Amino acid sequence: MNGKNERENERELADLLRAAIAGDERSYALFLDRIAALVRAYARRKISHGGVDPEDVVQEVLLAIHLKRHTWMPEAAVMPWVYAIARFKLIDAFRRRGRRVEIDLDEIAETYAQPEIETVSDRDVGRALDTLAPGQRSVVAAISVEGRSIEETARKFGMKEAAVRVALHRGLAAIARRFGRD
Amino acid sequence: MKTDDLIRAMAADTGRRSMPMDTAWRLAGVLAFVLAGAVFLVALGPRPDALASLETARFVFKFVVTLALVASAFALVRALARPGGGGGSLLAWLAVPPLLLVVAVALELFAVPASEWMTRLVGVNSQVCLTFIPLIGAAPLGVFLLALRHGAPTRPRLSGAVAGLVAGGLAAAFYAAHCPDDSPLFVATWYSLAIAGLAAVGALAAPLVARW
């Protein structure tokens, strides 16, 4: 990928994220997909030996991006923001496992140039769901694992849509907190 | 849950919006000012000759240096609350208040005979200064730590310390209106000590409060 494509990539990501923050779900899913691939490549590069699962880091970073997306300035570049979050979460993951790591920021440019095309690993983090309160767990599972919409989920459990939205949001926040503790 | 499932859940959650950082900081700034002002007015109030003293350079300087600290530290803590928000270039501005102090102290040493230096440094109420700057700054520090919690500081300890500097500068600016000691020798010693205390508390608290 040359410099022009990098700029193009950056511009597209910024457009997607702006649309997402304005409430467009499809743009947001596209954005997160692309970010996941970039962060996955970054995490795999940085984690050369066991102890930390790269996909755990990917999920933790995505959750952090989701819950802290208001810290992105609409006129700022997307990738420096994403990598700052990824770096912070990676160091945190190593620290939780009692390791000291030095992460070379210069390598970021290199990582940027090679997004990983590989499909998502099929690992199961059902344990993240298991830690949720039952109500939150069934809502989050219905939307994520079963792929239901908010409306379908509300119908399924006989809940108001607003209540489904609250349970989903709190469930995601709880999973993010859980990541920080394990 | 696979990563794709997680993405689906997050996309469904996009309708839920949180307060933009700019709004959060504006709110925190106003709240901190009001709280610091309230504690100051209830506990101390300005000294009787505060208005008349605005004609003396030493009195005015106390506000110049403390407000310079508030401005530079506030800009820095806002940048530190954002991942990749930089802060490196803003860090240099934090050197302005200490430099102002150095110049003021040098001028004071030049203007005042050596026999009076210690008297001016000790002042008349350093204990009150060390008590009330932290007291006035406590609520603002809490407010700024909450704003950091809303953000995502990747250097929590530094962010907390800088939040303490903002709170300390704000508290010291209010306290300066009460404090009868105007010598830069007093300000450089006791104000700095009190503000450093708040910065230390911020550095200790932020990693706990602003965990994300």
Side-chain angles (χ1 to χ4, degrees):
Chain A
M1 218 186 267
N2 59 32
K4 191 185 169 214
N5 284 340
E6 218 169 278
R7 274 201 304 279
E8 182 77 359
N9 185 50
E10 177 59 49
R11 199 182 55 75
E12 285 172 12
L13 286 174
D15 286 345
L16 285 174
L17 185 50
R18 261 190 293 273
I21 287 172
D24 180 2
E25 276 189 41
R26 285 184 50 133
S27 298
Y28 196 31
L30 272 172
F31 171 81
L32 291 171
D33 261 336
R34 288 176 63 169
I35 294 299
L38 290 162
V39 173
R40 187 169 298 121
Y42 172 79
R44 287 187 182 163
R45 271 183 59 86
K46 296 299 176 191
I47 303 168
S48 46
H49 28 258
V52 177
D53 188 321
E55 203 57 25
D56 266 351
V57 174
V58 172
Q59 297 194 350
E60 210 183 330
V61 170
L62 290 178
L63 276 166
I65 283 174
H66 177 62
L67 296 171
K68 297 294 185 183
R69 60 194 189 280
H70 57 273
T71 63
W72 178 66
M73 300 275 130
E75 71 281 4
V78 176
M79 288 318 291
W81 175 72
V82 166
Y83 281 129
I85 292 174
R87 183 174 185 272
F88 180 74
K89 286 296 176 184
L90 188 59
I91 291 172
D92 204 36
F94 278 118
R95 194 174 289 146
R96 285 201 302 273
R97 279 155 190 79
R99 288 163 181 271
R100 288 178 180 278
V101 276
E102 287 300 323
I103 291 179
D104 185 0
L105 277 175
D106 294 340
E107 288 183 49
I108 278 177
E110 228 181 302
T111 311
Y112 200 146
Q114 319 160 335
E116 210 134 312
I117 319 284
E118 202 173 323
T119 51
V120 180
S121 75
D122 271 0
R123 57 185 308 285
D124 183 68
V125 282
R127 60 194 165 82
L129 277 179
D130 290 343
T131 61
L132 297 181
Q136 283 173 6
R137 181 170 59 221
S138 42
V139 165
V140 175
I143 291 166
S144 61
V145 182
E146 298 162 27
R148 292 176 199 268
S149 68
I150 299 266
E151 302 81 60
E152 287 166 356
T153 308
R155 253 200 315 281
K156 179 182 174 188
F157 296 116
M159 296 167 73
K160 290 214 166 70
E161 283 185 22
V164 171
R165 286 180 200 281
V166 169
L168 173 63
H169 186 76
R170 293 200 180 145
L172 288 172
I175 293 175
R177 277 198 301 278
R178 184 70 216 167
F179 264 119
R181 260 185 276 126
D182 66 359
Chain B
M1 193 169 27
K2 296 166 193 164
T3 302
D4 282 350
D5 298 335
L6 187 65
I7 288 177
R8 211 171 303 135
M10 292 190 291
D13 190 37
T14 190
R16 205 177 164 89
R17 305 193 52 188
S18 38
M19 189 189 288
M21 284 311 290
D22 276 345
T23 314
W25 281 116
R26 249 195 304 275
L27 202 68
V30 170
L31 200 61
F33 182 82
V34 169
L35 288 171
V39 172
F40 169 72
L41 287 177
V42 169
L44 297 171
R47 69 193 209 199
D49 66 339
L51 275 180
S53 305
L54 283 172
E55 284 169 20
T56 69
R58 286 186 180 84
F59 185 70
V60 172
F61 173 75
K62 295 199 291 185
F63 299 101
V64 171
V65 71
T66 50
L67 293 177
L69 177 63
V70 171
S72 55
F74 192 56
L76 179 58
V77 78
R78 287 177 60 149
L80 287 171
R82 285 186 282 117
S89 56
L90 292 169
L91 201 60
W93 285 101
L94 215 51
V96 169
L99 283 176
L100 286 173
L101 267 183
V102 167
V103 171
V105 164
L107 289 173
E108 179 81 339
L109 293 180
F110 190 70
V112 174
S115 56
E116 260 198 61
W117 289 353
M118 268 323 273
T119 325
R120 293 211 172 204
L121 189 150
V122 173
V124 295
N125 65 354
S126 59
Q127 290 307 312
V128 180
C129 171
L130 289 182
T131 307
F132 280 93
I133 288 181
L135 207 65
I136 297 168
L141 177 57
V143 170
F144 293 135
L145 287 176
L146 286 180
L148 278 177
R149 181 188 175 87
H150 183 64
T154 52
R155 302 172 75 180
R157 212 167 285 283
L158 177 64
S159 309
V162 178
L165 291 180
V166 186
L170 186 64
F174 274 110
Y175 178 73
H178 171 86
C179 172
D181 293 297
D182 293 345
S183 169
L185 290 170
F186 184 90
V187 174
T189 309
W190 306 107
Y191 280 41
S192 304
L193 209 58
I195 293 168
L198 280 165
V201 172
L204 289 175
L208 305 172
V209 177
R211 207 174 150 59
W212 58 284

